Amino acid sequence: MTKFQDRAYLTGQQYSGANNLSARIRLHEQFTVTDVDLHRYLFDLLLAAAGSHAGVLEVGAGRGDLWRKNSDRVPAGWNVTLTDLSDGMLVDNRAYMGELAARFTYQQADAAALPFPDAAFDVVIANYMLYHVPDLPGTVRELRRVLRPGGVLMAATNGHNHMTEMNALAVRAGIIAETEASGLMGVHLVFTLQDGAQTLGAAFDDVARLDYPTHLRVTEAQPLIDYMLSMVDRAAPEKITALRA
Ligand SMILES: C[S@@+](CC[C@H](N)C(=O)[O-])C[C@H]1O[C@@H](n2cnc3c(N)ncnc32)[C@H](O)[C@@H]1O
C-alpha cells in the first residue's frame, strides 16, 4: 500500500480540502489540448446511460467538477447523492458548487463500505479515485452491490503513461527513485486504462473501455511546479523548485 491509499493521509493531508486537487485540475484546465471538455464528454455518456429519471451516486466526488461543468443540463428527474471519504473535501465541494449544491444530497462515505442498501442506485460514478482504495476488488464488489441489476458504473481513470514526463522530472530532482515506476503519486500502476476493464470484469458482466485521447502542452513552469508540490512531502519542495533552474 502506498501513502496515496492510506486513509489517514488521504483525509488528514492530501484531501483534507480541495487545494491539492485544485492545483492538479488547474494544470489540466490550462494546458490540455482537446476539442471536447473532459467533464462534458463524461456527462454525455452519463446522460445516454441514465435517461431522464435516475438515482445517481458519486463516490470520491472531490470538488464536484463533473456537476459544475454540466450545471446547465442535470436532468430534473435525477436524484443525486455526492459522497467522499474526506469531510473537508465535501465542505470545499459545497463551497465550489455554490447554489448548485442545493440540488444534491451530501454524505461522507468510504467507497469500500457504502452506507446504502443493495440495489439502491441506477448509476454509480467512481471517477479518478479507484487507485486510492486499498482493497480494489472488494471496493468494486461494493459498487456493484449498491447498483440495481442492469445499472451502470462509470469509472474514469488515467492511462499507465499518465504524466510520464513529469515523473521523469521527479526522478531527475531525486524526489522519486528511477525504479519507482508508479510515479510521483505512487498509484499509476493501479486501476489504469489498460487494466481497469479486467478489474471491473470480476464483478460486472459487461464492461466497455472508452478512450478520451488528450495531451498536455505545458508552456509555463509554475503550474507544473504547483502540480508536483500537491503530491510531495514537505521535504521535497526545494528539490522541485530547483528544477526551475
Ligand atoms: C483525484 S480525486 C477525484 C475527484 C473527482 N472524482 C474528480 O473526478 O474530480 C480523488 C477523490 O477520492 C476521494 N477518495 C479517496 N479514497 C476514497 C475512498 N476510499 N472512498 C471515497 N472517496 C475516496 C478523495 O478524498 C478525493 O476527493
Side-chain angles (χ1 to χ4, degrees), residues 2-3 42 62 99 152 169-171 184 194 237-238:
T2 78
K3 73 175 182 177
L42 293 174
E99 285 178 8
V152 174
L169 277 175
V171 170
L184 197 49
Q194 287 73 25
E238 323 77 60

Side-chain angles (χ1 to χ4, degrees), residues 117-128:
D118 295 357
F121 298 96
D122 303 294
V123 174
V124 173
I125 304 162
N127 287 346
Y128 303 101

Side-chain angles (χ1 to χ4, degrees), residues 31 57 62 120 223 232:
F31 300 111
L57 170 69
V232 299

Side-chain angles (χ1 to χ4, degrees), residues 121-154:
F121 298 96
D122 303 294
V123 174
V124 173
I125 304 162
N127 287 346
Y128 303 101
M129 61 77 62
L130 282 174
Y131 39 70
H132 286 311
V133 301
D135 173 13
L136 181 55
T139 304
V140 170
R141 283 195 299 276
E142 182 67 350
L143 300 178
R144 177 73 189 84
R145 181 186 70 73
V146 299
L147 267 175
R148 69 161 167 79
V152 174
L153 168 71
M154 167 182 276

Side-chain angles (χ1 to χ4, degrees), residues 69-206:
K69 296 261 174 58
N70 292 285
S71 58
D72 56 324
R73 57 180 185 155
V74 180
W78 282 16
N79 190 348
V80 181
T81 303
L82 301 185
T83 64
D84 200 281
L85 183 65
S86 159
D87 283 312
M89 184 62 84
L90 289 176
V91 170
D92 284 358
N93 180 310
R94 281 175 198 267
Y96 178 65
M97 216 76 96
E99 285 178 8
L100 187 61
R103 278 283 282 105
F104 309 120
T105 302
Y106 283 88
Q107 190 164 345
Q108 187 279 337
D110 184 342
L114 291 167
F116 306 110
D118 295 357
F121 298 96
D122 303 294
V123 174
V124 173
I125 304 162
N127 287 346
Y128 303 101
M129 61 77 62
L130 282 174
Y131 39 70
H132 286 311
V133 301
D135 173 13
L136 181 55
T139 304
V140 170
R141 283 195 299 276
E142 182 67 350
L143 300 178
R144 177 73 189 84
R145 181 186 70 73
V146 299
L147 267 175
R148 69 161 167 79
V152 174
L153 168 71
M154 167 182 276
T157 194
N158 300 311
H160 62 192
N161 60 354
H162 180 63
M163 304 300 282
T164 341
E165 286 94 341
M166 183 197 66
N167 287 324
L169 277 175
V171 170
R172 220 178 88 195
I175 299 160
I176 53 173
E178 201 159 358
T179 47
E180 258 174 284
S182 53
L184 197 49
M185 200 184 244
V187 293
H188 290 134
L189 298 180
V190 185
F191 196 73
T192 64
L193 185 60
Q194 287 73 25
D195 67 18
Q198 197 185 344
T199 302
L200 296 176
F204 291 83
D205 299 332
D206 184 9

